[in-house]
């Protein structure tokens, strides 16, 4: 069977963005995430970062909460032009939440991301971004996901939505740093509440997209 044109292409990064829609995220906060991500994608600094290399980026977005609540919002899309990026942002902006009453099954969210990554175009690097305002409270955790699913070539970065300062400072931020982050160079961004989500997402995307230096791309391409 012939490979699809998407899979035949080569890109520098396959980037999957995972948004938390668990029960702790109300309708207003969910809207701040979707609108914030859409705005971050088309911000000048992130747009510049997407096109800072002649090699394109493949982008996917999915939402997650309970064990059986993961849904693709934007399937793998090769970002070759600004029009591609605008369409991707519009798809996120117009998306509708699929569930509002599920727990926080972080291990399942990561497992879903690993499976989604297996369907990605062939890229030099693979990154999953997990955003969330709470730690795992349903099913197996991130450590089990990393043991039992294909994460050997995938970096997992995190974005903590520190909506409750007490929980964030004492538990959530260390949980992300010690349990969620995975792979070489993995890092954490912190949003001080959902109102700060757009800024934190802009900063994270710019860092990820510009972090792949020309030398690293050349070395990876020779392997």
């Amino acid at each position: 069977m012939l490979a699809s044109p998407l899979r035949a292409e080569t890109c520098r990064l396959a980037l999957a963005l995972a948004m938390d829609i668990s029960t702790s995220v109300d309708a207003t906060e969910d809207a701040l995430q979707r609108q914030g991500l859409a705005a971050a994608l088309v911000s000048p600094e992130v747009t510049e970062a997407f096109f800072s290399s002649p090699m394109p980026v493949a982008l996917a977005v999915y939402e997650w909460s309970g064990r059986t609540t993961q849904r693709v919002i934007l399937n793998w899309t090769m970002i070759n032009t600004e029009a591609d990026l605008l369409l991707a942002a519009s798809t996120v902006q117009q998306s509708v939440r699929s569930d509002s009453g599920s727990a926080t099954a972080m291990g399942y969210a990561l497992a879903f991301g690993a499976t989604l990554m297996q369907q990605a175009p062939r890229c030099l690097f693979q990154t999953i971004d997990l955003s969330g305002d709470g730690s795992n409270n349903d099913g197996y955790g991130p450590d089990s996901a990393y043991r039992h699913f294909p994460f050997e070539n995938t970096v997992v970065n995190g974005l903590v939505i520190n909506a409750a300062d007490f929980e964030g400072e004492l538990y959530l931020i260390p949980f992300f740093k010690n349990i969620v982050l995975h792979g070489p160079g993995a890092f954490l961004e912190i949003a001080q509440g959902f109102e700060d989500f757009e800024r934190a997402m802009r900063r994270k995307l710019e860092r990820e997209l510009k972090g792949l230096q020309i030398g690293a791309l050349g070395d990876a391409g020779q392997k």
Side-chain angles (χ1 to χ4, degrees):
M1 183 166 60
L2 292 176
S4 69
L6 190 61
R7 287 206 63 83
E9 294 202 50
T10 299
C11 62
R12 75 183 193 269
L13 175 66
L15 178 61
L17 307 175
M19 291 195 306
D20 183 2
I21 61 164
S22 60
T23 189
S24 61
V25 179
D26 65 26
T28 299
E29 293 166 342
D30 178 72
L32 285 168
Q33 282 189 99
R34 289 174 205 274
Q35 303 308 311
L37 174 54
L41 285 170
V42 296
S43 64
E45 57 266 51
V46 174
T47 298
E48 179 186 353
F50 263 102
F51 303 108
S52 60
S53 164
M55 297 184 72
V57 172
L59 181 67
V61 181
Y62 68 98
E63 58 185 23
W64 66 276
S65 59
R67 299 187 192 195
T68 60
T69 309
Q70 303 92 31
R71 182 179 70 100
V72 173
I73 295 172
L74 175 73
N75 212 342
W76 288 112
T77 300
M78 198 71 80
I79 308 298
N80 289 301
T81 66
E82 288 194 29
D84 295 331
L85 188 56
L86 285 169
L87 182 58
S90 177
T91 300
V92 173
Q93 184 180 40
Q94 296 176 33
S95 64
V96 177
R97 181 176 184 161
S98 64
D99 183 87
S100 61
S102 298
T104 305
M106 201 170 282
Y108 287 78
L110 289 166
F112 184 86
T115 301
L116 183 65
M117 195 62 74
Q118 298 303 296
Q119 304 164 20
R122 291 177 294 181
C123 299
L124 298 178
F125 300 96
Q126 299 178 336
T127 297
I128 295 172
D129 283 314
L130 194 73
S131 299
D133 74 336
S135 55
N136 188 74
N137 61 20
D138 186 26
Y140 58 80
D143 52 345
S144 292
Y146 294 144
R147 286 197 303 269
H148 296 292
F149 289 86
F151 280 93
E152 294 83 2
N153 300 312
T154 301
V155 170
V156 177
N157 294 327
L159 195 163
V160 165
I161 306 167
N162 192 13
D165 292 342
F166 179 79
E167 181 191 7
E169 294 299 332
L170 294 187
Y171 186 70
L172 186 57
I173 292 171
F175 178 85
F176 265 76
K177 285 182 176 179
N178 297 324
I179 307 297
V180 176
L181 299 188
H182 175 82
F187 67 91
L188 180 69
E189 287 291 345
I190 300 169
Q192 297 298 341
F194 285 87
E195 297 80 1
D196 192 39
F197 183 84
E198 179 185 337
R199 180 207 60 81
M201 179 61 73
R202 280 201 315 268
R203 178 179 168 90
K204 181 175 61 59
L205 288 170
E206 185 178 15
R207 182 173 173 182
E208 287 163 340
L209 294 165
K210 284 192 171 180
L212 305 177
Q213 301 299 322
I214 298 300
L217 291 173
D219 293 342
Q222 295 171 7
K223 291 182 180 177

